[in-house]
């Protein structure tokens, strides 16, 4: 009888230890950083600071766009960490006075981040600082978002994300916002 009670007590203590360990791990930032790493942190922070974008926003965009793969290439032809279309990157290069830009440079993290962060900042300014509309434009194109807002199809707010006509863009904005909040919590 005493042996059974000691076994039961050991079992209860072991279960309690497991619960305490689980609670500790679930609230430990270092644990969640395993699932939300920040590769290219120095480069991302530098690009963010140079353009005045929150580094946690920029890392969220990179995570959603390429999963931190600098050699990523989409079916549509978008390249690198921030999945820039060559035409868009060329336009940014011209806007910033870069004379010797060529598409292969988009596979270099520093250059991709510099161009992508400049473009994102430009979109945010075009939409008067509206993060939701700026992110939607980064994914779907400025013209599409302007048309949606102008026609009243979408107000450009988080509250009416479900009204974005492109399902991919709805999912994209949600994913970036979710990752943005997580990175702000884990790394700020």
């Amino acid at each position: 009888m005493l042996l059974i009670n000691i076994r039961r007590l050991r079992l209860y203590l072991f279960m309690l230890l497991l619960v305490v360990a689980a609670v500790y791990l679930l609230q430990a930032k270092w644990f969640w950083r395993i699932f939300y790493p920040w590769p290219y942190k120095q480069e991302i922070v530098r690009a963010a600071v140079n353009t005045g974008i929150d580094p946690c926003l920029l890392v969220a965009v990179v995570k959603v766009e390429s999963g931190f793969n600098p050699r990523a290439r989409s079916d549509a032809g978008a390249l690198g960490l921030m999945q820039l279309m060559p035409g868009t990157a060329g336009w940014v290069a011209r806007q910033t006075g870069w004379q010797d830009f060529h598409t292969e440079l988009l596979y270099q993290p520093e250059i991709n981040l510099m161009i992508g962060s400049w473009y994102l900042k430009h979109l945010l300014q075009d939409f008067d600082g509206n993060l939701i509309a700026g992110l939607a434009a980064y994914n779907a194109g400025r013209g599409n978002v302007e048309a949606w807002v102008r026609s009243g199809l979408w107000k450009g707010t988080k509250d009416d994300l479900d009204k974005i006509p492109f399902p991919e863009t709805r999912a994209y904005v949600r994913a970036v916002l979710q990752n943005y909040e997580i990175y702000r919590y884990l790394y700020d």
Side-chain angles (χ1 to χ4, degrees):
M1 184 77 167
L2 183 60
L3 185 60
I4 294 172
N5 288 338
I6 290 174
R7 283 185 182 165
R8 186 172 290 160
L9 180 61
R10 283 183 185 163
L11 178 62
Y12 290 148
L13 286 173
F14 180 72
M15 289 173 40
L16 179 62
L17 180 64
L18 284 178
V19 168
V20 169
V23 168
Y24 169 74
L25 282 177
L26 291 176
Q27 61 82 36
K29 288 183 179 182
W30 67 264
F31 176 75
W32 289 106
R33 286 177 181 168
I34 295 168
F35 302 102
Y36 290 88
W38 193 329
Y40 305 101
K41 186 172 186 176
Q42 183 177 346
E43 295 88 345
I44 290 171
V45 170
R46 185 180 310 117
V49 168
N50 287 341
T51 54
I53 293 176
D54 182 345
C56 291
L57 174 61
L58 199 55
V59 74
V61 169
V62 171
K63 180 175 174 58
V64 172
E65 286 289 349
S66 68
F68 303 107
N69 178 1
R71 301 295 300 173
R73 181 183 178 98
S74 75
D75 291 340
L79 305 173
L81 288 174
M82 294 191 69
Q83 287 295 277
L84 295 163
M85 293 299 290
T88 301
W91 177 81
V92 171
R94 288 188 300 280
Q95 296 300 307
T96 58
W98 192 350
Q99 302 298 321
D100 58 348
F101 172 79
H102 56 88
T103 302
E104 280 299 307
L105 291 172
L106 292 176
Y107 289 119
Q108 295 180 23
E110 299 84 7
I111 292 172
N112 190 286
L113 291 163
M114 181 187 68
I115 292 173
S117 63
W118 188 96
Y119 182 59
L120 179 58
K121 179 67 172 190
H122 181 75
L123 290 172
L124 292 171
Q125 289 171 341
D126 282 355
F127 289 97
D128 299 319
N130 181 335
L131 176 61
I132 308 305
L135 289 173
Y138 192 87
N139 179 263
R142 176 190 297 116
N144 285 322
V145 174
E146 286 172 345
W148 300 338
V149 172
R150 189 174 45 253
S151 70
L153 190 60
W154 181 50
K155 294 177 186 170
T157 67
K158 187 176 181 179
D159 292 336
D160 67 341
L161 277 178
D162 288 336
K163 293 184 179 175
I164 294 176
F166 296 173
E168 176 189 330
T169 301
R170 282 194 303 266
Y172 173 82
V173 172
R174 283 189 178 111
V176 171
L177 291 175
Q178 179 182 27
N179 279 280
Y180 181 34
E181 290 302 316
I182 291 169
Y183 276 96
R184 285 178 61 194
Y185 171 73
L186 292 178
Y187 291 94
D188 262 358

